Amino acid sequence: SKALIYEHFSGKSDLYAHIHRTSTYEHFRRVLAATGGANGSVEQMERGLSAYLEFIGEHPDRWRVIQQEVSDPEIIAQDHSIQKLAEHTIAGMLAADPEIARQKLNEDQLELLGVMINGAIARASDWWVDNESAMAREEVVRYLMRFNESLLLRRRDELHDLDVRVRVVGRRDWRVPRRLLRHIDDSV
């Protein structure tokens, strides 16, 4: 009842902030638990995305609260803080991966990647909540994982037009799809 709710919360803003905070931290907890023990960034990302979408699928109304635009300055500050935490967490996961460490990205580059990945995942998640029957969670995970692959292939063609050839160097990794390796090898 309304009286019971206001016995625990001073108003709508306090209730919203509580739902937002507890939902967001549960969401983070699930993603971090899922990524523990993963072998490399590809598996870590797949596990994290799956846990991320699993939470959203189980709690679409809580996801909408997390993503809702608000005007209350305290809630905006809380949302901004949580968004920064997500971006920083993603950047930290990237920095800890040996494959990414070899690229010698600086802190700003890692943070920007965290912002980009977080934004793409959040927007794709919004779409999925509205269109859940159109695509299974596992399919959304695969689609997001292939996003970077298609971007690389588009850039490869642009670079080829500039007489720049893209090659994979180093050991062949089983996690890199063979079709991607063939596309890259064909461009040499």
Side-chain angles (χ1 to χ4, degrees):
S1 76
K2 192 173 184 179
L4 181 61
I5 290 173
Y6 289 113
E7 186 176 313
H8 298 284
F9 303 101
S10 61
K12 287 180 185 178
S13 179
D14 191 30
L15 173 62
Y16 175 85
H18 174 77
I19 293 169
H20 188 278
R21 183 178 51 256
T22 58
S23 296
T24 302
Y25 287 123
E26 180 183 341
H27 202 188
F28 274 134
R29 183 190 56 73
R30 284 193 187 189
V31 170
L32 292 175
T35 59
N39 294 318
S41 62
V42 172
E43 185 178 340
Q44 194 173 32
M45 186 63 77
E46 284 174 344
R47 286 182 180 189
L49 284 171
S50 185
Y52 189 93
L53 291 171
E54 182 178 40
F55 174 88
I56 293 167
E58 291 173 7
H59 307 287
D61 292 334
R62 289 169 69 186
W63 173 251
R64 286 184 181 99
V65 168
I66 292 171
Q67 292 298 99
Q68 183 178 356
E69 294 287 330
V70 295
S71 59
D72 183 308
E74 288 181 36
I75 295 173
I76 291 171
Q78 175 186 331
D79 189 45
H80 189 259
S81 172
I82 291 168
Q83 181 179 341
K84 287 290 181 196
L85 177 61
E87 295 162 358
H88 184 73
T89 300
I90 293 168
M93 287 169 48
L94 294 171
D97 184 85
E99 296 293 323
I100 293 173
R102 281 195 272 274
Q103 296 178 37
K104 296 184 174 48
L105 300 174
N106 66 38
E107 189 176 318
D108 290 335
Q109 291 168 322
L110 288 168
E111 286 293 325
L112 180 57
L113 280 174
V115 168
M116 292 166 57
I117 291 169
N118 189 56
I121 292 169
R123 296 300 67 81
S125 298
D126 287 343
W127 176 87
W128 186 60
V129 166
D130 293 336
N131 300 282
E132 191 173 350
S133 63
M135 194 178 289
R137 175 174 45 96
E138 296 80 11
E139 191 176 354
V140 176
V141 170
R142 281 193 305 275
Y143 193 81
L144 284 166
M145 293 299 293
R146 288 187 180 154
F147 176 75
N148 285 333
E149 176 185 331
S150 67
L151 180 63
L152 176 59
L153 291 174
R154 282 194 311 268
R155 295 296 299 166
R156 179 212 59 192
D157 294 338
E158 291 172 21
L159 292 170
H160 181 80
D161 291 343
L162 297 171
D163 290 326
V164 175
R165 301 297 182 254
V166 177
R167 293 186 316 159
V168 176
V169 295
R171 66 181 172 85
R172 295 288 177 148
D173 192 319
W174 63 270
R175 294 171 294 189
V176 177
R178 288 183 187 176
R179 69 184 176 288
L180 176 59
L181 293 174
R182 277 195 304 274
H183 283 295
I184 293 172
D185 289 342
D186 289 346
S187 72
V188 177

